[in-house]
Amino acid sequence: MSDFDLYYWPVPFRGQFIRAILAYGGRSWDEHDSSEIGEMMERDAGQQPIAFMGAPILIDRERDFAISQMPAIALYLGERLDLLPNTAEGRALTTKIINDANDVIDELTLDGGREMWTDEKWKEFVPRLRKWMLIFEDTGHRNGLTRDTGYILGTNEPGIADIVTATLWATMSDRFPAIDAIFKSTAPIIHGLSKRMQAMPSLIELNKSTLDKYGDQYCGGQIERSLRKVAG
């Protein structure tokens, strides 16, 4: 039996952070399809494993514990798999990085597709996207990260902050050439970290599995189609 149940849509996007943490931590999980997620979402709150509005949802089978919201899941797994720094400052910075990553993908999809991208909107957004990249770049720089060595919070081993950072930027830039070009020129230190993290065997295997399952999909639907017109 697998260690966890993960309920998320059949695309990388927000669920990929959770998959990457589980893969890096050497844990097994079962994914549940859209019909199962839809059925669970339609239940009354008291009949759900945890009262929630939308995926992802993670269930820890060993502990009979369910949690929703990507940042909360990432922090829970950090504690569970011993992938968080051992200082209050390091944990606070990890929380910030997870929430920054969540904000970036919300902005990239215009709050989950409330609007569609146009050339004009994208042109206006690119400076803001660069600023997000520089926020991650500066965090790494302050903690001694270089393109070829180190981790974003100056730890001796990778942690949740590194997994989330690499998953955010590598998943995005691998699928959108225009974003990849911006990323390489704007944040070379974080680009290097992302490449090093993605070269780890567990994450190589995850990326291969992701491509096999989902192709080059990112977030799906009309918002992805509009994003590909401006950044594909």
Side-chain angles (χ1 to χ4, degrees):
M1 184 174 71
S2 295
D3 301 319
F4 296 89
D5 287 294
L6 175 62
Y7 291 81
Y8 193 69
W9 311 109
V11 291
F13 202 51
R14 217 178 300 275
Q16 199 69 3
F17 298 104
I18 310 307
R19 296 179 184 116
I21 295 167
L22 290 169
Y24 181 83
R27 297 307 179 101
S28 61
W29 71 96
D30 289 330
E31 299 241 5
H32 295 267
D33 63 24
S34 298
S35 63
E36 292 176 277
I37 298 170
E39 185 276 326
M40 188 183 288
M41 289 176 67
E42 290 176 1
R43 297 181 199 171
D44 292 338
Q47 300 303 312
Q48 295 173 331
I50 183 170
F52 76 98
M53 187 63 74
I57 306 98
L58 185 77
I59 299 175
D60 185 333
R61 288 178 170 173
E62 180 182 340
R63 300 193 178 184
D64 191 26
F65 175 74
I67 185 70
S68 64
Q69 295 284 9
M70 187 279 285
I73 296 171
L75 284 170
Y76 172 71
L77 288 174
E79 293 278 4
R80 183 79 164 80
L81 307 180
D82 196 23
L83 293 171
L84 290 177
N86 57 14
T87 65
E89 294 81 0
R91 289 169 187 259
L93 283 171
T94 297
T95 304
K96 175 192 183 294
I97 286 170
I98 296 168
N99 283 287
D100 280 350
N102 211 34
D103 286 349
V104 171
I105 62 174
D106 278 344
E107 291 193 14
L108 189 70
T109 56
L110 293 170
D111 294 325
R114 290 181 185 275
E115 300 177 76
M116 297 296 115
W117 285 109
T118 64
D119 289 337
E120 182 177 354
K121 286 179 186 174
W122 181 253
K123 184 177 179 180
E124 292 173 354
F125 176 65
V126 166
R128 187 172 178 88
L129 180 61
R130 289 186 185 277
K131 184 173 181 178
W132 273 121
M133 293 174 180
L134 288 170
I135 287 170
F136 282 80
E137 185 86 345
D138 182 73
T139 302
H141 179 72
R142 292 186 191 206
N143 290 295
L145 179 68
T146 72
R147 188 186 305 211
D148 301 315
T149 60
Y151 300 104
I152 194 167
L153 297 182
T155 53
N156 293 325
E157 299 291 336
I160 293 294
D162 303 284
I163 299 166
V164 167
T165 297
T167 301
L168 170 68
W169 296 113
T171 305
M172 187 190 306
S173 61
D174 284 350
R175 286 158 179 79
F176 299 100
I179 295 176
D180 187 46
I182 296 167
F183 184 35
K184 287 177 181 176
S185 63
T186 304
I189 294 174
I190 296 299
H191 183 269
L193 171 67
S194 298
K195 290 297 183 183
R196 286 189 284 116
M197 290 295 298
Q198 295 299 97
M200 293 182 174
S202 58
L203 297 183
I204 288 174
E205 183 60 31
L206 174 65
N207 290 335
K208 180 180 182 300
S209 172
T210 298
L211 288 171
D212 288 344
K213 290 178 181 176
Y214 313 129
D216 65 352
Q217 284 194 92
Y218 181 65
C219 57
Q222 293 182 353
I223 186 60
E224 179 167 336
R225 288 194 288 273
S226 77
L227 182 58
R228 289 195 178 280
K229 289 179 181 178
V230 296

